[in-house]
Amino acid sequence: MLRTIILIFRNEFRRLVRDRAALFMLFLAPVVIIAVAGFSLGNLYGARPNARVYLVPIVDLDHGTIATAITDGLAHEHSIEIVRATDLEEARRVVFRSERAPLAIVIPAGTTKAFESGRIASVLVCADPIKRVEATAIELRLNRLSRRIAAAARDRAQADLFHKMAELRSQLDSLEAQARKIQLRLADFRRDFIRESSAIQARSERRIKRQIRREIGALEAQTQAAVERSLAMTQAKLAGDLAAKRDAIAAVERYLHQLQSSEQAFDRWLERLKAAAGSHAAEIPAPPQWPAPPSREQLAELAKPLELSIAKPVMPRAGTLGDVTVPILRLKLPAPARLSFDVRDLKDARAPVLPGDIGWREKALTPGSGEVNTFDQYVPGFGITFLLIDMLWGLSIALIDERDWGTLERLRVNGAPVPGMLIGKLTARFLIGLIQMVVLFAFGWMLFGISLGQSAPMLLLPAAAISFAAAAFGLVVACVARTRDSVLPIGSVAAMAMSAIGGCWWPLDFEPAWMRSLAQWMPTTWTMQAFNDLMIRGLSASSAIWPAAVTFALGLAFAVAGILGSSQFYE
Amino acid sequence: MVEAVALAKSYGPRRVLDDVTFSVNEGEVAGLLGPNGAGKTTTLSILATLRAPDCGSVRIAGFDSRVNPGAIRRKLGFVPQAIALYPSLTPFENLDLFARIQGLGGRQARDACRQALEDVGLAERANDAVSVLSGGMQRRLNLACAMVHHPTVLLLDEPTVGVDPQSREKILQTIRGLAATGVAAVYSTHYMEEVERLCDRVLLIDQGRLVASGTVAELIALAGQHHRMDITFQRTPPPSWCEGIAEVSKPTVAAAGNRVTLHFASLAQVSELLERARLAGGHVLEFSVHSANLSDAFMALTGHALRDPDAGPLSVAS
């Protein structure tokens, strides 16, 4: 039993050592895949991007200090090379043309002004969606730089603020000292004022009293003279009035005598009238009554002598006193204390403004919303991977099977040249691969809504190119692997490595620079570029021509190598 | 029809063919007989223009293989040792492919395919996938594919390996029938009895050299008229147990130690030999007697067996 165990154990190792395919799958294949995946995804886990120098086009529409600070700051980054662009269109061309350029930066006009006035200055970052990781790396640097610029500006503003506050504090101290001085001066002034005003008041009172006394004397004299003048005038007037009155009374006495005579005459006339009227005497109306004459007593009053009255004298006007001018003594006030600085300086001084912040907002360089459907990456990517693997079955293994079956030999004996057979197989597998890609894209479109770009038929170009290259790859594997058992280990590792490095499983910008350089020699890289341009970037159909041509050229190189190698091997 | 002159071929330092010269005439079936690794397949590959000889020349149907291999291929039908068929295709589709590769077109190809299927007895299975046919049927189809375009020279590399007797019989009949129509055939095998039945001439080849050629009878004659007896003892008698018997060779002892081989002149001596063995203390478990055949001739010419000694008798039918 033990012997059996030992023998079987030893035999297993002996078989393993002689089985190169098994050894390859055991050790080399995992190492290759681990290395590819590890190096490719290293950036995701913070590995240094291998000192890759990124190209960053900058459109400076600001021409201010912030634009300069951003440009200089990025220029000092070891991994960034600045390219100045006049407008966004030029920047877009740089990004699309250079695989080192993941994004463009646009510094809008007024950025510096906004920043200096304390607002958020927004910088526009136009990222290429298929260089997401690299764009993020640059954005992180930009973010760090923005914080650094803002922090530096804030430090400067803070220092300036401190300086101004110190200046202000000094001025306030000076003001305070001067205010105290003024208060003392005011106290002195008040005291002087009170003393001076008291003296002035006393002097003024004395002067006024003297003046009043003088004025009263003058007024008394004037009043005396006026009374005397009035008396004289009254006497004269009375004499005149009295003579006239006497004349009037005499006239009235005469009138009254005449009126009494007339009344008697009237009564006699009336008697005669009544007599003449006879029976009609009663119809004669009574004559109007004569007014009764003033009584004698009244008339006697008139005859009484007039009493004398004195005319009111014209007294001097009291207002004359107002015209008297009383000299007022002026106060002698002390001069105000002079301030050592102009207070207007304080008023005019601008309030310090802390700088704002530098933010950035992202915009896709491509048309549309800029959101990427992940299946736009994975449908073509894994489509290519399975295309390559299917070529291993359909071409590499099939070719080796045919050699092992003897059908190739039989075909050769029947007159079929090996290159002809290989080209026939290559052509058939190319067409099958193209159909496979079309079907996969159709499923991708129906199930996952992948983008078919501006022109769906144009997707056929890179699909055809990679189908040809994959078929040629199968041919190369067939002549390298040489046995059925070796095809899958060698071929699948090569297919997976080509897929991974070529950007089929993740965006190419995940990978370090050396791997991307290596990727330039793989048809998968160029095909994915074409698919990305058409489906993710939404570029025009012509953008796929060059990458498809390179894919086809690499496929042609594979095909030539495969046909030459296989011809030697299978003949 | 087939002329091979001074063929030599080496794979690296190993010489697999050395100065091989023979010819095969129209309507003749030549058996290329030799043990594994003797150079049979290499010889056929050179004849089929699949490999070029290091030196020497091949002319088939008047064409030199170096000068005009294409013309030779149009005259050749080649049956490789492997079953060189597409398993997922039907017999008809396989035949159609090889017929069309040979230049037959349209109806001519279809008729040729049907005829070939008839000839090998597979007409009823014409539309089944090759993968579901038995091994013998596949061997027959393998032959049919080589003759679908009516070649003038047929090269067959062990075409009956692992087939049932019925299929073998059909294959041999078919080859014989083709030879009767004037086809020259080179039949490579290590089955002695097939050569004895089928071939007009035998080419004995060993270690890359053609050791003899001639009819079966001529070659057997080269081995002499002695019979051979193999005896397996349970207990081996002393080496001198058969000394003194006339025209009996000294027995050779096999590596196992309990099996001996000796040659003798007359079948009448068999009983005497067995009696002497018994008297000498040998306990006979098994014995067999062989008359002279191609294997003996090969042994006589090369000093070693056509097949490995442990592989058992060449054929129970001999």
Side-chain angles (χ1 to χ4, degrees):
Chain A
M1 178 69 173
L2 183 61
R3 181 182 171 78
T4 303
I5 293 171
I6 292 169
L7 286 173
I8 295 295
F9 181 85
R10 200 175 63 184
N11 194 45
E12 286 300 307
F13 275 92
R14 184 182 291 151
R15 286 178 53 216
L16 177 64
V17 166
R18 290 177 186 171
D19 188 346
R20 290 180 184 174
L23 285 173
F24 181 82
M25 282 305 281
L26 269 177
F27 303 112
L28 196 56
V31 167
V32 169
I33 297 301
I34 289 166
V36 169
F39 283 125
S40 298
L41 301 178
N43 288 351
L44 285 183
Y45 297 96
R48 284 178 59 80
N50 283 1
R52 180 176 172 75
V53 176
Y54 298 111
L55 211 57
V56 177
I58 291 186
V59 182
D60 181 5
L61 304 175
D62 179 49
H63 305 296
T65 54
I66 291 301
T68 307
I70 290 173
T71 309
D72 291 350
L74 287 174
H76 279 92
E77 291 272 347
H78 293 301
S79 58
I80 290 177
E81 183 184 333
I82 296 296
V83 177
R84 292 188 180 277
T86 53
D87 55 18
L88 184 58
E89 192 49 45
E90 187 185 340
R92 182 183 283 118
R93 279 198 298 274
V94 173
V95 171
F96 286 168
R97 199 173 296 149
S98 170
E99 53 99 17
R100 289 195 296 132
L103 54 76
I105 294 173
V106 179
I107 305 171
T111 301
T112 300
K113 199 172 174 184
F115 180 77
E116 287 176 349
S117 61
R119 298 197 304 272
I120 291 178
S122 196
V123 173
L124 191 63
V125 174
C126 302
D128 186 346
I130 65 166
K131 299 173 188 164
R132 184 64 266 163
V133 171
E134 287 185 322
T136 306
I138 303 289
E139 284 172 357
L140 286 175
R141 286 170 171 79
L142 182 62
N143 206 20
R144 201 167 55 211
L145 177 64
S146 302
R147 284 203 306 272
R148 209 162 61 216
I149 293 170
R154 268 196 293 276
D155 287 347
R156 280 198 303 275
Q158 195 78 37
D160 191 36
L161 192 61
F162 283 145
H163 177 70
K164 282 193 171 168
M165 280 182 71
E167 229 174 44
L168 192 61
R169 192 169 290 118
S170 159
Q171 288 174 339
L172 286 173
D173 289 345
S174 168
L175 272 178
E176 192 181 1
Q178 293 189 36
R180 275 198 297 273
K181 204 183 287 180
I182 287 169
Q183 276 179 338
L184 289 174
R185 296 281 291 273
L186 277 174
D188 291 346
F189 178 79
R190 187 169 177 274
R191 205 168 42 247
D192 292 346
F193 182 79
I194 291 169
R195 189 177 61 236
E196 189 71 19
S197 61
S198 299
I200 288 172
Q201 190 173 1
R203 282 200 298 275
S204 295
E205 277 177 2
R206 282 195 300 273
R207 285 188 181 186
I208 288 168
K209 280 177 182 173
R210 275 201 306 271
Q211 186 72 20
I212 288 172
R213 276 197 296 272
R214 267 200 305 276
E215 289 297 324
I216 288 172
L219 279 174
E220 281 175 349
Q222 286 176 359
T223 304
Q224 187 65 37
V227 168
E228 287 174 355
R229 276 195 303 273
S230 179
L231 282 173
M233 285 172 62
T234 302
Q235 282 176 340
K237 189 170 181 298
L238 277 174
D241 288 348
L242 195 56
K245 197 167 178 180
R246 280 171 186 154
D247 291 345
I249 290 169
V252 169
E253 262 182 339
R254 275 189 311 268
Y255 172 71
L256 289 172
H257 282 309
Q258 288 173 347
L259 187 57
Q260 196 172 15
S261 306
S262 300
E263 192 176 342
Q264 287 167 351
F266 183 76
D267 290 343
R268 278 182 313 268
W269 175 78
L270 190 53
E271 286 300 322
R272 274 187 313 259
L273 183 59
K274 284 177 181 178
S279 63
H280 296 286
E283 295 177 10
I284 301 171
Q289 292 294 316
W290 295 87
S295 66
R296 291 222 173 248
E297 291 82 19
Q298 289 175 320
L299 291 174
E301 278 297 313
L302 288 172
K304 285 180 182 175
L306 291 172
E307 290 182 8
L308 287 172
S309 62
I310 299 169
K312 194 176 178 180
V314 178
M315 297 302 285
R317 287 183 299 165
T320 54
L321 194 57
D323 295 337
V324 176
T325 56
V326 179
I328 302 297
L329 295 173
R330 288 181 178 276
L331 279 173
K332 289 181 179 172
L333 294 175
R338 287 179 63 83
L339 292 173
S340 61
F341 69 93
D342 194 345
V343 181
R344 280 176 303 183
D345 291 346
L346 287 176
K347 199 168 77 179
D348 293 342
R350 281 197 312 162
V353 176
L354 282 176
D357 211 341
I358 302 174
W360 48 271
R361 61 196 165 87
E362 192 178 298
K363 180 189 171 192
L365 268 178
T366 53
S369 66
E371 290 180 6
V372 176
N373 178 355
T374 51
F375 288 101
D376 289 352
Q377 163 74 20
Y378 289 126
V379 168
F382 281 95
I384 290 171
T385 302
F386 278 94
L387 183 69
L388 292 170
I389 290 174
D390 290 342
M391 288 300 174
L392 298 179
W393 290 102
L395 217 152
S396 311
I397 289 180
L399 201 54
I400 288 170
D401 277 349
E402 287 210 43
R403 184 200 61 188
D404 294 344
W405 295 338
T407 46
L408 277 184
E409 200 172 60
R410 164 163 271 162
L411 286 167
R412 283 179 57 207
V413 174
N414 281 16
V418 171
M421 289 188 278
L422 296 176
I423 291 170
K425 285 182 177 295
L426 190 74
T427 313
R429 283 292 152 182
F430 154 70
L431 190 60
I432 291 167
L434 181 59
I435 293 168
Q436 180 189 10
M437 290 298 282
V438 170
V439 170
L440 284 176
F441 272 73
F443 274 117
W445 179 66
M446 286 188 290
L447 298 179
F448 310 120
I450 61 168
S451 163
L452 299 180
Q454 293 181 16
S455 168
M458 201 58 191
L459 292 172
L460 286 172
L461 188 61
I466 192 61
S467 299
F468 172 73
F473 161 76
L475 207 56
V476 171
V477 171
C479 65
V480 170
R482 300 196 170 198
T483 65
R484 198 176 206 279
D485 291 341
S486 302
V487 165
L488 283 183
I490 293 172
S492 58
V493 167
M496 285 192 280
M498 279 171 65
S499 300
I501 295 171
C504 294
W505 296 353
W506 42 69
L508 202 63
D509 68 330
F510 278 27
E511 298 172 8
W514 67 267
M515 199 177 268
R516 269 183 281 197
S517 301
L518 179 65
Q520 300 304 307
W521 296 98
M522 297 184 181
T524 47
T525 309
W526 293 93
T527 307
M528 282 308 293
Q529 182 186 324
F531 283 135
N532 285 340
D533 282 350
L534 293 173
M535 298 169 68
I536 297 178
R537 284 172 163 167
L539 298 185
S540 64
S542 61
S543 66
I545 293 174
W546 171 246
V550 176
T551 305
F552 183 79
L554 289 170
L556 199 60
F558 280 176
V560 170
I563 289 170
L564 290 177
S566 299
S567 296
Q568 283 192 339
F569 178 59
Y570 291 102
E571 279 188 356
Chain B
M1 186 63 74
V2 178
E3 290 177 32
V5 179
L7 295 180
K9 180 77 179 174
S10 296
Y11 294 130
R14 191 165 62 90
R15 191 84 160 171
V16 292
L17 280 186
D18 186 12
D19 195 24
V20 173
T21 300
F22 64 89
S23 65
V24 182
N25 298 320
E26 194 174 317
E28 186 181 33
V29 179
L32 196 57
L33 184 66
N36 288 333
K40 302 190 296 292
T41 299
T42 302
T43 303
L44 285 183
S45 296
I46 290 171
L47 293 179
T49 69
L50 293 172
R51 290 187 179 84
D54 295 340
C55 62
S57 65
V58 171
R59 290 185 72 84
I60 292 178
F63 298 106
D64 190 319
S65 67
R66 290 182 187 276
V67 179
N68 204 343
I72 290 178
R73 285 170 180 170
R74 280 191 290 278
K75 301 287 182 185
L76 279 182
F78 179 60
V79 182
Q81 189 172 351
I83 298 176
L85 301 169
Y86 293 96
S88 56
L89 302 184
T90 65
F92 187 90
E93 287 167 339
N94 271 280
L95 285 166
D96 187 62
L97 171 68
F98 293 117
R100 286 174 190 273
I101 288 283
Q102 275 288 1
L104 274 64
R107 186 171 181 176
Q108 190 185 10
R110 284 195 298 277
D111 292 344
C113 293
R114 288 194 193 97
Q115 184 59 52
L117 286 168
E118 286 284 345
D119 290 344
V120 297
L122 289 174
E124 292 180 357
R125 307 297 299 271
N127 295 316
D128 293 341
V130 167
S131 58
V132 303
L133 299 181
S134 69
M137 290 176 176
Q138 289 179 356
R139 283 284 171 192
R140 279 188 269 161
L141 182 60
N142 207 26
L143 172 62
C145 288
M147 59 189 232
V148 66
H149 58 289
H150 308 301
T152 53
V153 174
L154 200 57
L155 305 174
L156 304 107
D157 190 0
E158 303 191 22
T160 59
V161 173
V163 301
D164 56 285
Q166 185 186 357
S167 292
R168 173 176 295 176
E169 193 60 33
K170 185 68 182 172
I171 289 169
L172 296 181
Q173 280 179 9
T174 307
I175 295 167
R176 201 63 257 180
L178 288 170
T181 63
V183 172
V186 180
Y187 188 95
S188 161
T189 184
H190 54 251
Y191 290 152
M192 184 185 62
E193 76 283 6
E194 287 185 354
V195 174
E196 287 174 349
R197 282 188 55 202
L198 181 68
C199 299
D200 303 308
R201 204 147 50 86
V202 181
L203 307 168
L204 280 182
I205 186 167
D206 182 50
Q207 295 179 349
R209 298 182 67 87
L210 191 66
V211 293
S213 68
T215 63
V216 174
E218 286 169 350
L219 292 179
I220 290 173
L222 288 174
Q225 295 300 316
H226 282 80
H227 303 285
R228 191 183 83 233
M229 183 159 70
D230 298 321
I231 308 172
T232 304
F233 292 102
Q234 187 181 36
R235 191 173 59 247
T236 310
S240 59
W241 64 274
C242 60
E243 281 180 359
I245 304 176
E247 294 186 86
V248 173
S249 68
K250 187 179 178 184
T252 56
V253 182
N258 61 344
R259 185 178 176 195
V260 298
T261 300
L262 50 82
H263 294 84
F264 57 96
S266 170
L267 291 173
Q269 292 174 298
V270 171
S271 58
E272 185 184 359
L273 284 168
L274 292 174
E275 182 62 17
R276 289 283 293 270
R278 189 182 64 81
L279 292 174
H283 185 186
V284 177
L285 288 177
E286 182 185 34
F287 76 94
S288 60
V289 177
H290 305 266
S291 296
N293 57 19
L294 283 174
S295 180
D296 298 311
F298 189 85
M299 172 70 90
L301 290 166
T302 64
H304 57 88
L306 186 59
R307 304 188 68 188
D308 295 336
D310 293 337
L314 278 176
S315 169
V316 292
S318 64

